Amino acid sequence: MGRLLFSARRHTWCQKEIGMLKQLTRILRDENGATAIEYGLIAALIAVAIITAVGTVGSHLSSTFNSVASSL
């Protein structure tokens, strides 16, 4: 009888452990967070490129307007 009780407890413990391992595996395989981070990094890179381009164009445009203003 003692062996059966121990076996039943062990079986319940193993089932709980298997359930926790399945949940952990599911969490580790979930790529939604990684995808969101990738999109965030891409958006940040595009923003840096736009800011750099606008700054460069702005300085060239400013020098062009100054040149036109001094010519007038």
Side-chain angles (χ1 to χ4, degrees):
M1 175 88 179
R3 286 185 133 183
L4 289 175
L5 184 61
F6 177 74
S7 178
R9 285 183 189 164
R10 187 172 182 193
H11 179 69
T12 304
W13 180 79
C14 287
Q15 290 299 322
K16 288 180 182 178
E17 185 180 35
I18 289 171
M20 288 190 301
L21 286 175
K22 284 181 181 180
Q23 286 179 340
L24 181 62
T25 304
R26 191 179 314 127
I27 289 170
L28 291 176
R29 286 186 181 175
D30 187 18
E31 295 183 1
N32 289 332
T35 303
I37 291 171
E38 289 171 357
Y39 283 132
L41 290 173
I42 290 169
L45 182 63
I46 290 171
V48 167
I50 289 172
I51 290 169
T52 304
V54 167
T56 304
V57 170
S59 65
H60 287 299
L61 190 59
S62 177
S63 65
T64 303
F65 278 130
N66 287 333
S67 172
V68 169
S70 65
S71 296
L72 291 175

